[in-house]
Structure formats: structure tokens, C-alpha cells
Amino acid sequence: MAADFFPKASGPDSPRILIVDDDANSTHLVKILLERSGPYLVLEENDAARADQTAHDFKPDVILLDIVMPKIDGGELATQIEADRQLHDTPIIFLTALVTHSEAKSGLHIQGHPLVAKPISIPELIDAIEKHLPARAEC
């Protein structure tokens, strides 16, 4: 892989974030903004039906999951992920336009998972990601 493929801030030990949303423009924008804001390695998946396999291959530290998607909604996909022995401990953060920003900030959860309201505020999203990243061992 070319050294300039990933943003300079990210590296092999960077937190891995998988974004699952059927809106490719939205996921691409969030990917770019996250990678410019921190040492994140971000992968987009725009087909919820393939998200489980993508997560297996990518091994994310956090999954950002849209709720309203065709074929399979985010709630169903979260249930699949939680039932998967390799992925069940992976934190899930829902991204949704179904709640207001104030509702999201109030600590509202869906299926026990935190959520970030759309349109997405990158500082709020980064805060949610950092709160839910698994602790990393210092080398």
C-alpha cells in the first residue's frame, strides 16, 4: 500500500471505524472529516446487507450505524452484530435523523447503544467515538 493512501495522522494502531449508511455521499463526507480530525482509519459500507462481512474483514474498534436503511435497518444489523462472537464486543453508535440534537445529548439510547443526531456534528461524533473506543494497551 502506498504510504500516502491513509491520512498522515493515521497508522496501523489508529482506531478503526466502520461507517454503515446507505447514503454514500454522507459516509464519504464523514470519513474525510474524521480522518482529518484525528488518527482514525475509516471504512465506508453503503450496503447494510454486506456490513457484517465488511466488519469481519475490517475488524473495527467502533461501528457507526445508520438506523433507516433499505433491506435491513440499523436495529436489525445491530442485533446481528451483537449475536456474532467476533463482533459482539464492538461498540455501536447509531447515527439518526429520528431524534433531535438535544435528545441525543440527553443520553438517549437505542437498543442500549448511544446515538448521534443527523445532521452530524463532527465534534459530537468524535466525542461519542472517544467515549466508546475500547481501551488500548500502551506499548
Side-chain angles (χ1 to χ4, degrees):
M1 243 179 243
D4 61 351
F5 178 77
F6 298 115
K8 289 177 177 50
S10 70
D13 295 327
S14 295
R16 300 166 74 82
I17 301 170
L18 175 62
I19 306 172
V20 182
D21 191 326
D22 60 306
D23 181 349
N25 291 329
S26 181
T27 58
H28 192 66
L29 179 61
V30 171
K31 171 186 168 62
I32 290 169
L33 292 172
L34 283 176
E35 287 181 340
R36 287 184 180 172
S37 299
Y40 306 114
L41 181 58
V42 183
L43 182 67
E44 307 165 62
E45 177 56 73
N46 301 116
D47 183 349
R50 291 193 322 231
D52 190 43
Q53 185 59 51
T54 301
H56 272 276
D57 296 342
F58 186 59
K59 297 174 182 43
D61 295 302
V62 173
I63 299 172
L64 305 179
L65 186 54
D66 187 27
I67 292 177
V68 180
M69 295 183 285
K71 299 179 191 168
I72 179 171
D73 69 36
E76 291 175 76
L77 186 53
T79 300
Q80 285 180 5
I81 290 167
E82 291 167 340
D84 186 310
R85 289 189 313 143
Q86 290 182 325
L87 300 173
H88 76 276
D89 288 333
T90 306
I92 295 170
I93 300 171
F94 282 117
L95 308 177
T96 183
L98 300 176
V99 300
T100 66
H101 283 275
S102 61
E103 288 172 327
K105 286 181 183 178
S106 75
L108 185 66
H109 283 66
I110 297 175
Q111 288 182 235
H113 299 287
L115 55 101
V116 173
K118 289 182 176 182
I120 294 168
S121 158
I122 293 301
E124 286 176 19
L125 181 58
I126 290 171
D127 185 49
I129 289 168
E130 290 298 324
K131 281 181 186 172
H132 294 90
L133 275 175
R136 292 172 118 34
E138 295 294 323
C139 296

